[in-house]
Amino acid sequence: MCPAIKNSLILALLLLVFSVIPVSVASATEIVLDTGHHHLGDDFKEKLNPVDPEGLIYTANFTLDPSVDIESAELILTGRSIVPGPTDEFSDKVYLNEIEIGSLNDYVPAETPDSVAVNISIPVHPSLFNPGNNSLKISAGSDANDSNYDDFEFYDLSFHLTETEPVTLEPPLKVAWTYELPWELGYEIPPEVTLAAGGVLYFAREDFGKTIIIAVDAETGVLLWSKEWDGEQGISLGYNDGVLFAVHSSNIDALDAKTGKLLWSKKYLSVSWGTPVIFGNTLFISTPDDRYMAAVDAENGALKWEYEFNRTDFETEGSSYYRLSGPVVNGNIVVFRYYASHSTYTEPIAIPEDPELEPELEKPIVKEGLIALNAHTGKATWEYVYPGEVLYFEPFLYRDLVYTTLGERDIIALSVESGEEVWKTNNGKWSNVVEAINGKLFVDFSSPGILQAETGEILNEYPGSKVSFSSSVISDKFVYSTDRNNIHVFNSSTGELIWSSSKIKGYDVSKPVLHKGKLYLISSEGTLYAFEHGEEGMFFTKGLESSALYYFPQIAIAEMLILLVILLIKVKNRALIFGSWLIALTGVIFLSLKALEPYIVGFVFGLMSAFVFLFMFIIFLIGIAFLRYGIRKGKQS
């Protein structure tokens, strides 16, 4: 064979191989997998391109830059002759790294003609992508007998990615700016930043007969807009693609995230809905104190489906109470935790004055567990009933597993698709999953630890460490934790303390939020702080000037002692000096209490406060006695 013909055959063979197994490298925002036309199925179909089937399964491999941090993703393709969903038969499923991300049928409108091309967009959970090598698989669905397959065409296959801006906020930290929130917090627990998205910080709160949302620019701390409702209503927020969703009472308001302008408003049942979760173009909401779950179209507020949870094993007589957690969603499945109790008495029972005659009330029947619904139809797919007593923690979703905590201090991992137990880990301590990064679960034991997400193996524990994952924000490199009125930064791999801030004014601060290269928290004084990389001043730092007052007592008392020694050396009438000094000392102690008041509220009020003021009064009386004796002694001399 001549060299030219041989080289041509090798080139043709290589082209054939790469046309069957496409390989792409990820760009920053788009991964183009395949622009060609493909026909999956088992039969000749003249209207499709190509007319002959290529098989039952299509596979595409691609490489993702490990540094890409995905916030949201969609699989985009155009399809033709796909059986419209929902359908149990001919379900054309799509898998990313062997984990199902959806069925093509669910994205084809009912009664779509066979010859009409449909643009399909399937939202993909970010945790399903691997850093490095990934594979996408599309399969042709079959009938109940596996004897006939759906024949369909697809082309222009790609992933569209929205990347999270990488944040590596190296310590030390300094205050970039502060903003005074318009709430009289007093000594209550400081609120957290409700939501940080799109370069804006949002705060939602019920306060003094009103419900309010405040939007502050995350870079500058400038107020962008605010919105109020009359009446104190529970309020929670969600965000998607420039739209802010405010859920209050039985209403959902869609607002322009930058301006607060109302886009649409809907009312759903006469129940109070809770925290919204947005996946793709669907808003999932649940009732914290009732038994409903719903899916709402994020573009126009149309109700897609509504699910009502009922325990069929409860008696018909009596009363039942339900409570649902917020949902977790992977695109196909919606999972939520439920609490249901049933009491056989229906009317309030009068309690007699004599305690010995109190009736023995029947203990309510309590059921707790997890329910999984089909995200497209709202139909239940599986239920996991908790055995015995449980601890109330929200379910946590990562890749193809959902995690929850049992009363025996077990962390249990269930398959999202089937609800079957995959692994269980017990370390005899309180535990709940706080975050998942790069295949690791950050779990808040009494000594925080890290588990391997797939197996539950304990990788690290931090006995004796100050780190608390539940009051932290976690990155791949650092754990930023708050403790009373300090920020602590730990190494996320070792738990080693790297840096701590000076005192922040207030006896407590909120859990921090990390967004756009800054760390945000709120103090019990009602001040929002934005921290960035940089050195603090020794005593006075922008936004923390008043924190220097924390050190006033130590400095003032030290100076008073030095002054007393000097005066006793230079002045012979020591009774006069000592009396004057004690009276001045009571003033210093009083000013010290005022300086410490924002930091240690428990010290300023209560029994300790009474003891300190009694002690001050005694010192004052002793000072007067010495002063009078010194004056009398001075006159005699």
Side-chain angles (χ1 to χ4, degrees):
M1 182 182 295
C2 70
I5 296 176
K6 183 177 180 180
N7 291 338
S8 298
L9 288 174
I10 293 174
L11 179 60
L13 182 60
L14 288 173
L15 289 173
L16 177 62
V17 170
F18 282 104
S19 67
V20 175
I21 308 178
V23 179
S24 301
V25 177
S27 66
T29 57
E30 186 177 29
I31 306 171
V32 178
L33 297 174
D34 197 335
T35 58
H37 291 250
H38 298 275
H39 171 185
L40 291 189
D42 62 345
D43 198 7
F44 174 88
K45 203 163 187 178
E46 187 174 331
K47 295 181 180 180
L48 298 186
N49 178 22
V51 294
D52 289 316
E54 300 174 346
L56 303 177
I57 295 176
Y58 167 90
T59 302
N61 300 311
F62 62 96
T63 302
L64 187 64
D65 187 340
S67 65
V68 173
D69 187 7
I70 302 172
E71 181 176 329
S72 62
E74 292 180 311
L75 176 67
I76 307 295
L77 72 151
T78 302
R80 195 151 58 98
S81 191
I82 298 171
V83 175
T87 175
D88 294 329
E89 293 189 333
F90 302 110
S91 182
D92 307 316
K93 295 184 176 181
V94 185
Y95 302 83
L96 176 60
N97 298 319
E98 301 303 322
I99 300 172
E100 183 181 342
I101 61 172
S103 174
L104 296 179
N105 317 79
D106 291 327
Y107 299 90
V108 177
E111 300 179 1
T112 299
D114 215 37
S115 58
V116 173
V118 177
N119 294 323
I120 295 174
S121 175
I122 302 177
V124 183
H125 199 281
S127 68
L128 301 183
F129 289 90
N130 293 328
N133 297 327
N134 292 262
S135 66
L136 177 80
K137 183 172 71 175
I138 302 175
S139 63
S142 69
D143 60 12
N145 300 320
D146 292 333
S147 59
N148 187 24
Y149 289 85
D150 188 19
D151 279 84
F152 63 93
E153 173 190 350
F154 68 92
Y155 53 94
D156 289 344
L157 187 65
S158 65
F159 277 110
H160 287 204
L161 308 179
T162 301
E163 294 184 52
T164 302
E165 184 176 330
V167 176
T168 304
L169 184 57
E170 297 275 351
L173 306 180
K174 68 175 183 179
V175 175
W177 52 260
T178 62
Y179 176 81
E180 297 299 325
L181 293 167
W183 295 313
E184 294 293 334
L185 296 179
Y187 292 112
E188 58 182 274
I189 298 173
E192 299 177 11
V193 176
T194 309
L195 181 67
V200 181
L201 307 177
Y202 299 96
F203 309 88
R205 181 177 168 88
E206 313 90 59
D207 191 67
F208 294 103
K210 291 187 178 294
T211 300
I212 183 172
I213 300 176
I214 295 174
V216 175
D217 188 284
E219 181 62 30
T220 64
V222 173
L223 176 67
L224 298 177
W225 58 267
S226 64
K227 185 177 178 64
E228 289 186 3
W229 294 268
D230 289 330
E232 292 192 30
Q233 310 167 13
I235 184 166
S236 51
L237 304 178
Y239 176 90
N240 184 52
D241 196 23
V243 179
L244 184 73
F245 299 94
V247 180
H248 55 103
S249 189
S250 54
N251 302 286
I252 299 180
D253 290 347
L255 310 171
D256 184 290
K258 291 291 186 181
T259 66
K261 179 183 176 182
L262 183 65
L263 303 177
W264 56 258
S265 181
K266 298 283 186 178
K267 186 180 179 72
Y268 307 90
L269 291 176
S270 294
V271 295
S272 294
W273 297 96
T275 305
V277 173
I278 299 98
F279 197 90
N281 67 341
T282 303
L283 196 69
F284 297 92
I285 50 176
S286 63
T287 52
D289 296 302
D290 218 316
R291 55 185 175 184
Y292 298 98
M293 178 74 63
V296 175
D297 192 309
E299 293 184 2
N300 54 33
L303 184 66
K304 291 186 174 183
W305 54 258
E306 183 182 276
Y307 172 80
E308 181 179 358
F309 173 62
N310 286 291
R311 290 296 315 186
T312 56
D313 51 353
F314 284 167
E315 297 178 12
T316 55
E317 295 183 356
S319 59
S320 298
Y321 169 71
Y322 294 91
R323 186 170 69 233
L324 305 184
S325 74
V328 291
V329 187
N330 75 344
N332 295 318
I333 302 293
V334 181
V335 182
F336 60 91
R337 183 191 192 280
Y338 70 82
Y339 170 92
S341 67
H342 181 79
S343 302
T344 55
Y345 50 89
T346 58
E347 299 293 334
I349 297 177
I351 304 298
E353 294 182 2
D354 187 351
E356 294 183 358
L357 299 178
E358 286 187 10
E360 292 186 7
L361 303 180
E362 184 176 340
K363 187 177 181 180
I365 301 171
V366 175
K367 299 287 185 180
E368 298 181 76
L370 298 178
I371 290 283
L373 308 178
N374 183 299
H376 305 284
T377 65
K379 294 181 179 179
T381 60
W382 56 261
E383 177 181 1
Y384 176 83
V385 180
Y386 289 164
E389 181 187 358
V390 301
L391 304 173
Y392 194 90
F393 290 119
E394 301 277 305
F396 188 92
L397 175 70
Y398 181 67
R399 295 184 67 84
D400 58 340
L401 297 178
V402 61
Y403 306 90
T404 189
T405 305
L406 304 182
E408 297 80 6
R409 308 299 191 259
D410 291 314
I411 296 179
I412 187 168
L414 307 175
S415 166
V416 174
E417 294 299 323
S418 66
E420 296 177 354
E421 181 181 321
V422 177
W423 57 256
K424 182 189 292 184
T425 294
N426 184 304
N427 79 334
K429 303 169 185 176
W430 287 77
S431 48
N432 65 301
V433 180
V434 176
E435 185 60 271
I437 298 177
N438 296 332
K440 298 177 181 178
L441 299 179
F442 289 80
V443 182
D444 213 27
F445 299 140
S446 54
S447 295
I450 299 177
L451 305 183
Q452 214 282 337
E454 290 185 3
T455 65
E457 175 190 356
I458 298 176
L459 302 177
N460 285 318
E461 288 190 85
Y462 305 131
S465 174
K466 289 184 178 180
V467 64
S468 171
F469 292 153
S470 60
S471 60
S472 302
V473 58
I474 304 169
S475 71
D476 58 348
K477 190 174 181 181
F478 298 114
V479 176
Y480 307 87
S481 182
T482 52
D483 175 23
R484 300 296 290 178
N485 40 26
N486 291 97
I487 302 170
H488 304 292
V489 181
F490 301 88
N491 182 300
S492 61
S493 298
T494 65
E496 176 189 1
L497 178 63
I498 297 173
W499 175 84
S500 292
S501 71
S502 63
K503 299 290 182 182
I504 300 169
K505 186 179 180 182
Y507 73 93
D508 199 3
V509 295
S510 70
K511 177 180 177 180
V513 168
L514 195 62
H515 183 65
K516 298 286 186 181
K518 287 184 175 64
L519 187 79
Y520 305 92
L521 57 82
I522 302 171
S523 76
S524 56
E525 295 290 293
T527 303
L528 166 65
Y529 290 89
F531 289 86
E532 62 186 5
H533 174 73
E535 293 283 352
E536 293 181 338
M538 183 174 294
F539 294 108
F540 300 98
T541 301
K542 179 183 177 183
L544 294 178
E545 290 85 358
S546 56
S547 71
L549 293 176
Y550 184 84
Y551 304 100
F552 173 81
Q554 301 96 304
I555 297 171
I557 292 174
E559 289 179 346
M560 286 289 292
L561 290 172
I562 294 171
L563 178 63
L564 177 62
V565 172
I566 294 172
L567 291 174
L568 289 175
I569 292 173
K570 292 190 173 184
V571 180
K572 292 182 179 181
N573 192 341
R574 294 187 176 182
L576 182 64
I577 294 302
F578 195 59
S580 302
W581 184 84
L582 286 175
I583 293 172
L585 181 62
T586 58
V588 170
I589 293 174
F590 178 76
L591 292 174
S592 297
L593 288 177
K594 296 302 293 180
L596 291 174
E597 181 179 350
Y599 302 95
I600 44 177
V601 63
F603 183 79
V604 180
F605 295 100
L607 292 176
M608 183 64 73
S609 172
F611 174 78
V612 170
F613 281 104
L614 177 61
F615 180 66
M616 288 170 56
F617 182 68
I618 293 172
I619 292 176
F620 185 76
L621 292 179
I622 295 173
I624 290 176
F626 271 101
L627 184 62
R628 291 183 64 183
Y629 176 75
I631 292 172
R632 191 181 306 119
K633 186 177 179 181
K635 288 180 179 180
Q636 291 174 354
S637 60

